[in-house]
Amino acid sequence: MTVDRPGLEPLRPAFRLRFLTDAQLDQLQEAALEILENVGVRFPSERCLSIFADHGARVDRETQIVRIPRDLVLRAMSTVPRYFTMAARDPAFDLALADGVTWFTNDGCGTETVDFETRELRPSRKSDVAAMARVCDYLSSMGFIWPIVSAQDHGSTAPLHEMDACWNSTVKHVQSETIMGDASCRYAVEMATVMSGSREELRRRPSFSLVVCTIAPLLQDHHGIEGALVLAEAGVPVGFLAMPTLGTTAPATLAGALAMGDAEIISGAVLLQLAYPGCPVFHSLMQAWADPRTGAYVSYPLAARVRYAPVEMAHHWGMPALAACYGTDAPEPGTWQSGVEVSLDPFWAGLTGPEIVTGIGLTNTYTRLYPESVIFDDDIYHRARHALMDLEVSPETLALDAIADVGPSGHFLAQEHTRRHMREALQRSIAHQLNERMTYRDPAEVARERVSWILDNHHPEPLEPAKQAELTRILAAADRELG
Amino acid sequence: MASETPALQPIRPSRRLRLLGDDQLAGLRAASLEILDEVGFHCPSEVALGIFTDHGARIDREARVVRLPPDLVLEAMSRAPRFYTMGARSAAHDIVLDGTAMYVATDGCGVATIDAVSRERRTSTERDVADMARVADHLSSVGFYWPIVSAQDHPATAPLHELRASFASTVKHVQSETVMGEPTARYAIEMARVIAGDEATLRTRPPLSLLVCAIAPLAQDRDGLESALAFAAAGLPVGFMSMATAGSTAPASIGGTIALGDAEIIAALTLIQLAYPGAPVFHSLMPGVMHPRSGAYLATTWEGEAAYAAGVEVAHHWGVPTLAGVFGTDAQVPGWEAAAAAPVALTLCALLGAETGSGMGLLDGCTVLYPEQLLLDTDIYHRVRVNLAGLDTSREALAVDVIRSVGPRGHFLAERHTSEGLRRLALSDLTEQLDAGGAYRDPLEVARERVRWILDNHHPEPLDDARDAELNRILQAAEGELA
């Protein structure tokens, strides 16, 4: 038995805010151009070095450092498409990236799961990816799906198994952040071609996309960057994600860390544009801080100012942005810290208008999956979605007839207008669910119950058996070659 | 020796936002004016009815319903000052309302206290008001103080005991929400005059202000109106708050609830301006939503976010400052729920230019004091404050020279720029405190400890003996008359 999946409810902010001025955006961009031209970025890949050399970048073969003249950067970036489509198994869930709408996904690549049944902490596995893809398939907050944890029961082909688990469990677009290297990416393209039906269709409506992490400071990963070239050739969207840490791998000033992370991202985007002009790319910068006493990675210090400046920087380059929300440093969900750190995120991100956003559902700085975390974060998402909505001021909502009817000191309970609007006036948060004694239930209990309910009741349309078999065949081949 | 009271740190947003369009604001105002003109409001005060009659309002003496022609409202409201000063016992802590900063107060009028030492829940007392005034005095987040709980150990004169406890325990501005009726107001004003020292200071730097609640739908409280008139006569700021609740005491649409609540507030502010043109007033719209099953007033609904924020703009459209509802929560214990809702409301109200707000430190629908909640809310306050400050993109902050000297694959730990930057990094007082093993401590435990530390160590400048004796004399007289 299955239930109807609610339609997607992206953020459609009624108002927007620019936190950086044009002058500040120009300063940041100039700094990135200066870094690219004078400091350079290391590309440990002969293929990449040749592409750069062919297009006139200054390549030091010995140090593998590429210095890119500003004109070359600007020329390459001029072929970046401002928007593209992230397609889904069910075309009704295709995401046509556009101004004014923001789609969210869950977090990814966690390594520990609090078991759905036993509640014990254990290493994550492929079945967790599938179960959570099904939960996220149901939630209206989720525009697309990341494999939420690592399929650690599948060794070196884990990333491909994660894709298999997702494609079998959700009809929404799937984005990987773990597929690395030329060989894995070729298998991934093969699997995606099965999902899309043909290479042409994959290019037209890419059923998956990839996030590739850069390494701070100013280094590309050999496997990451070579895999990116494979996907770009197939027309699959690729995003570069820089994670500069203020004080260790980046300068201890925010502007410096942002400029350096931006240079890393842009160096990858330039490479792809030089190799495959017009290929879809996106920009993602997630700054973090080093605890000066321990060196530990801190996502949420008090001074997280202008958290979504990278979104404005991406748009200044004419690229779509993948913003980062959620990912609390708190070890468990449902605690004060897990709420306070992330609760501004979707509202704040929505104000700046990124096209896509990640991060729902993990704790302990992106490493630990409590299944109910997605429900807590989903609740915060909808609070932000409502806070960003327009207020309807019309004769019907102003309700002057009902007010005149009730007059001073009456009540509105018996009004027809109240019956008409009460349901839309209050959508109940997990914090406002009643028990039999008419007091509020523990939101954690409500959240856990909701996950169980979705898993028991929501079974998305299964993948056609022929496609399932084909994915299994490709996975087996990959396991043989790479496993 | 007295402890120093830290300087206030108001929220100074680097950017501003408009939520409602001119046409929406015009629509809401037209609705309020129509309600006041055609439906009217219940006014059970003979003094107020007399003032309205003298100025040409239409009065139904029997029903005690007042109808105000739009011209009368607009003319009266045009006298209200847009900005003024809320004085403090210490001039350095005066709050100068000027549209550049937001100051936030504690919540008020709670009825139960979780004892800071025994952790038992008990009825609130004057001592709690004094203790929490001292805690608030120590926190740079608290711009002014609402007596946080009710001095229930002094039933007949509780509001005056709350004022005495507050004036003696903090050098900051005090705002009461419990002084009701002309006789009590008279004593309260006398106490304020003692604190101010002279009549001129009382009027230019009033150390006390008053908030009065209207009764939805469309009714005023007699004692509330009469105490407000007494305050206005003395030059002390008075504000009116509406807590119209969508579905029960207001229409089940947010637009209608705002219009109705605004009409209640404007009815009272018009009275004050008719009686004392130019008197400092403020507008406070804190609508709720009725829980459709229990009938309860819900402060922190998804839909409510927009309604609270809209109240800020409606106030400004009338040309008066606002007291915004921030931090109020339905959560019953410190934890996720309170943390999930508060930051968005505070950010939105600050971005809209709210001058003041209140609500730190209470839980369970503003009724229960957990002393540590004031510390938890302070952490949220500072996160929002720092987030709203802008980004430094100076050459020094962009750190291109530091990035050049480190180059690809290096690290920034040895740079002087790094040690200086990290020294400036604001970490949370609560979530980033290390234990002896180098792990982060439980923020709730840290918060409870901080409360006890403040209570043991912070003793703000006491009242001098003469003023202390004077306050006691006033209290004795009040008890003779009112008890």
Side-chain angles (χ1 to χ4, degrees):
Chain A
M1 170 199 138
T2 193
V3 289
D4 283 345
R5 176 195 297 105
L8 296 183
E9 296 184 296
L11 302 183
R12 293 185 191 278
F15 38 92
R16 292 274 285 277
L17 198 58
R18 279 272 302 272
F19 286 93
L20 302 179
T21 62
D22 287 345
Q24 287 181 307
L25 286 166
D26 285 342
Q27 283 173 309
L28 286 162
Q29 192 169 84
E30 279 303 319
L33 287 167
E34 188 177 334
I35 293 166
L36 288 168
E37 180 156 1
N38 297 327
V39 186
V41 176
R42 183 162 178 258
F43 280 79
S45 153
E46 282 306 313
R47 188 176 171 209
C48 296
L49 295 177
S50 298
I51 293 169
F52 277 120
D54 290 349
H55 287 87
R58 288 183 292 133
V59 174
D60 182 333
R61 292 271 174 182
E62 200 169 322
T63 61
Q64 300 178 312
I65 289 173
V66 177
R67 293 183 175 81
I68 318 171
R70 60 177 289 139
D71 287 354
L72 183 57
V73 174
L74 296 173
R75 198 165 67 240
M77 291 302 292
S78 72
T79 60
V80 169
R82 179 66 183 87
Y83 298 116
F84 48 83
T85 292
M86 291 162 53
R89 165 141 74 88
D90 176 349
F93 290 87
D94 280 6
L95 309 181
L97 305 187
D99 187 33
V101 55
T102 298
W103 310 93
F104 273 61
T105 185
N106 52 284
D107 210 334
C109 208
T111 56
E112 298 177 308
T113 299
V114 172
D115 191 90
F116 295 70
E117 303 292 330
T118 67
R119 304 291 295 169
E120 273 169 29
L121 191 64
R122 56 162 174 77
S124 59
R125 51 194 186 220
K126 183 175 180 178
S127 58
D128 301 336
V129 178
M132 290 311 295
R134 204 143 57 78
V135 172
C136 295
D137 184 78
Y138 183 78
L139 296 175
S140 67
S141 53
M142 300 289 184
F144 60 112
I145 307 294
W146 274 19
I148 196 164
V149 288
S150 178
Q152 293 179 79
D153 46 345
H154 289 273
S156 56
T157 54
L160 298 174
H161 281 274
E162 292 159 15
M163 295 303 291
D164 179 61
C166 290
W167 273 325
N168 273 287
S169 307
T170 176
V171 301
K172 298 178 180 176
H173 179 87
V174 180
Q175 185 167 85
S176 168
E177 55 156 339
T178 55
I179 304 175
M180 306 269 281
D182 180 276
S184 285
C185 284
R186 287 189 193 286
Y187 281 111
V189 168
E190 213 182 315
M191 290 170 79
T193 306
V194 170
M195 294 301 296
S196 297
S198 68
R199 286 298 282 261
E200 293 68 38
E201 195 58 14
L202 176 62
R203 185 177 296 280
R204 201 173 69 80
R205 289 187 52 246
S207 52
F208 94 113
S209 50
L210 179 71
V211 178
V212 175
C213 279
T214 64
I215 302 171
L218 299 170
L219 171 65
Q220 296 289 351
D221 179 82
H222 167 79
H223 292 295
I225 199 72
E226 296 210 330
L229 283 167
V230 173
L231 297 195
E233 183 182 13
V236 171
V238 176
F240 288 97
L241 166 58
M243 300 181 77
T245 303
L246 275 78
T248 51
T249 62
T253 44
L254 193 47
L258 294 177
M260 194 192 77
D262 192 39
E264 292 168 11
I265 296 163
I266 297 305
S267 73
V270 166
L271 172 79
L272 298 193
Q273 294 304 313
L274 293 176
Y276 306 104
C279 67
V281 292
F282 56 95
H283 182 290
S284 189
L285 200 165
M286 306 182 187
Q287 67 275 24
W289 288 258
D291 188 321
R293 299 155 304 180
T294 62
Y297 181 95
V298 176
S299 298
Y300 289 96
L302 199 67
R305 65 176 61 184
V306 236
R307 191 166 195 88
Y308 295 99
V311 173
E312 296 179 33
M313 293 164 67
H315 292 169
H316 202 55
W317 282 110
M319 297 169 81
L322 169 72
C325 288
Y326 303 101
T328 176
D329 295 324
E332 292 166 29
T335 60
W336 178 81
Q337 185 183 356
S338 74
V340 77
E341 291 186 335
V342 307
S343 59
L344 256 184
D345 282 0
F347 171 74
W348 202 247
L351 279 179
T352 56
E355 289 74 13
I356 49 178
V357 179
T358 183
I360 284 179
L362 292 184
T363 58
N364 210 32
T365 319
Y366 326 113
T367 60
R368 188 173 296 167
L369 169 65
Y370 281 81
E372 65 269 30
S373 281
V374 290
I375 304 295
F376 279 108
D377 289 350
D378 171 84
D379 201 82
I380 286 172
Y381 172 88
H382 285 293
R383 187 177 294 282
R385 192 169 65 79
H386 281 85
L388 292 163
M389 277 180 190
D390 200 14
L391 179 72
E392 193 187 337
V393 180
S394 65
E396 175 64 16
T397 63
L398 286 170
L400 292 177
D401 293 342
I403 293 170
D405 219 32
V406 170
S409 305
H411 67 77
F412 288 79
L413 296 170
Q415 291 291 309
E416 168 58 27
H417 183 273
T418 302
R419 280 196 292 280
R420 261 201 318 275
H421 290 279
M422 200 57 220
R423 193 161 298 160
E424 84 213 30
L426 178 69
Q427 295 185 30
R428 269 172 273 172
S429 151
I430 54 172
H432 287 140
Q433 303 297 322
L434 294 168
N435 59 23
E436 288 121 29
R437 298 187 312 281
M438 298 300 267
T439 58
Y440 296 121
R441 298 181 58 197
D442 174 10
E445 189 186 290
V446 175
R448 284 195 291 270
E449 208 172 271
R450 194 161 291 176
V451 171
S452 302
W453 183 91
I454 296 171
L455 287 173
D456 288 345
N457 293 282
H458 178 58
H459 300 284
E461 302 76 347
L463 197 55
E464 301 142 55
K467 286 188 176 178
Q468 275 186 36
E470 208 41 16
L471 292 186
T472 306
R473 189 194 59 72
I474 299 168
L475 270 180
D479 283 337
R480 275 195 304 278
E481 182 188 342
L482 309 171
Chain B
M1 199 183 103
S3 324
E4 194 180 330
T5 299
L8 304 183
Q9 290 189 295
I11 300 174
R12 296 187 187 278
S14 64
R15 295 287 179 272
R16 293 291 279 276
L17 191 65
R18 272 284 297 275
L19 179 70
L20 300 175
D22 290 343
D23 52 337
Q24 289 172 303
L25 286 166
L28 286 167
R29 171 174 297 189
S32 293
L33 289 171
E34 185 177 332
I35 293 166
L36 291 172
D37 190 25
E38 295 177 13
V39 185
F41 58 95
H42 186 244
C43 178
S45 157
E46 284 303 320
V47 183
L49 286 173
I51 294 166
F52 280 125
T53 307
D54 290 349
H55 288 84
R58 300 197 310 279
I59 313 286
D60 178 337
R61 279 273 168 190
E62 200 169 326
R64 296 185 164 192
V65 167
V66 177
R67 292 183 175 80
L68 300 173
D71 286 352
L72 182 62
V73 175
L74 294 169
E75 161 66 17
M77 287 303 293
S78 72
R79 310 290 172 112
R82 179 68 184 84
F83 296 123
Y84 46 85
T85 292
M86 292 159 63
R89 172 144 75 81
S90 133
H93 295 84
D94 280 3
I95 291 176
V96 180
L97 304 183
D98 62 3
T100 66
M102 179 180 187
Y103 297 86
V104 178
T106 50
D107 209 331
C109 206
V111 294
T113 298
I114 305 299
D115 193 278
V117 178
S118 74
R119 303 299 297 166
E120 273 168 30
R121 183 184 167 122
R122 56 170 174 72
T123 304
S124 60
T125 64
E126 178 176 1
R127 172 77 190 274
D128 297 333
V129 178
D131 281 351
M132 292 309 293
R134 269 199 301 129
V135 176
D137 190 83
H138 182 70
L139 299 172
S140 63
S141 56
V142 179
F144 57 110
Y145 186 62
W146 275 21
I148 197 163
V149 288
S150 177
Q152 294 179 79
D153 44 346
H154 298 279
T157 51
L160 299 173
H161 279 271
E162 291 158 18
L163 289 185
R164 195 266 303 266
S166 302
F167 281 134
S169 306
T170 177
V171 302
K172 297 180 183 181
H173 180 87
V174 177
Q175 186 166 87
S176 170
E177 54 159 346
T178 55
V179 172
M180 300 281 279
E182 190 277 333
T184 303
R186 198 168 3 96
Y187 288 109
I189 294 161
E190 219 178 308
M191 290 169 90
R193 192 171 282 121
V194 170
I195 298 298
D198 58 64
E199 194 63 29
T201 306
L202 184 70
R203 285 183 176 272
T204 54
R205 295 182 43 234
L208 176 67
S209 53
L210 177 69
L211 176 67
V212 175
C213 277
I215 303 168
L218 298 171
Q220 303 291 341
D221 180 84
R222 187 198 66 181
D223 287 343
L225 283 185
E226 294 183 356
S227 56
L229 284 166
F231 267 61
L236 302 180
V238 292
F240 284 83
M241 175 192 283
S242 169
M243 297 177 74
T245 303
S248 58
T249 60
S253 51
I254 299 296
T257 300
I258 292 173
L260 179 100
D262 183 47
E264 292 168 4
I265 296 165
I266 295 303
L269 297 188
T270 298
L271 170 73
I272 301 295
Q273 293 305 320
L274 291 175
Y276 304 102
V281 292
F282 58 95
H283 181 291
S284 185
L285 186 57
M286 301 198 189
V289 176
M290 180 190 73
H291 195 296
R293 283 180 54 209
S294 68
Y297 168 94
L298 301 179
T300 53
T301 58
W302 292 350
E303 296 75 8
E305 303 282 3
Y308 273 50
V312 175
E313 294 200 323
V314 169
H316 293 169
H317 199 55
W318 284 109
V320 291
T322 189
L323 173 81
V326 287
F327 287 105
T329 175
D330 304 314
Q332 290 167 33
V333 290
W336 177 83
E337 185 186 347
V344 170
L346 180 59
T347 301
L348 195 45
C349 289
L351 282 171
L352 296 172
E355 294 83 4
T356 65
S358 70
M360 296 165 84
L362 293 188
L363 293 175
D364 207 356
C366 314
T367 60
V368 181
L369 167 65
Y370 279 79
E372 66 269 32
Q373 188 62 34
L374 186 53
L375 275 292
L376 298 171
D377 287 345
T378 283
D379 193 81
I380 291 174
Y381 175 93
H382 287 303
R383 281 172 197 273
V384 170
R385 182 179 64 77
V386 175
N387 262 289
L388 284 170
L391 178 70
D392 178 5
T393 48
S394 63
R395 185 77 195 169
E396 162 74 11
L398 284 165
V400 175
D401 297 333
V402 184
I403 294 169
R404 193 197 313 266
S405 92
V406 170
R409 288 191 84 183
H411 67 76
F412 290 80
L413 294 170
E415 303 295 316
R416 177 193 289 272
H417 184 271
T418 301
S419 49
E420 283 168 3
L422 287 180
R423 203 171 312 130
R424 284 194 296 266
L425 172 65
L427 291 167
S428 163
D429 281 346
L430 303 182
T431 60
E432 279 132 4
Q433 296 309 306
L434 297 169
D435 64 19
Y440 294 118
R441 298 182 56 199
D442 172 12
L444 268 64
E445 185 189 294
V446 177
R448 287 191 288 267
E449 206 173 274
R450 294 272 300 158
V451 170
R452 288 194 296 269
W453 185 91
I454 297 170
L455 287 175
D456 288 345
N457 293 283
H458 183 65
H459 301 281
E461 185 67 41
L463 280 176
D464 54 72
D465 292 345
R467 287 196 288 179
D468 192 43
E470 197 61 2
L471 291 190
N472 280 331
R473 190 195 55 74
I474 295 168
L475 265 183
Q476 272 168 16
E479 277 175 20
E481 181 184 344
L482 305 170

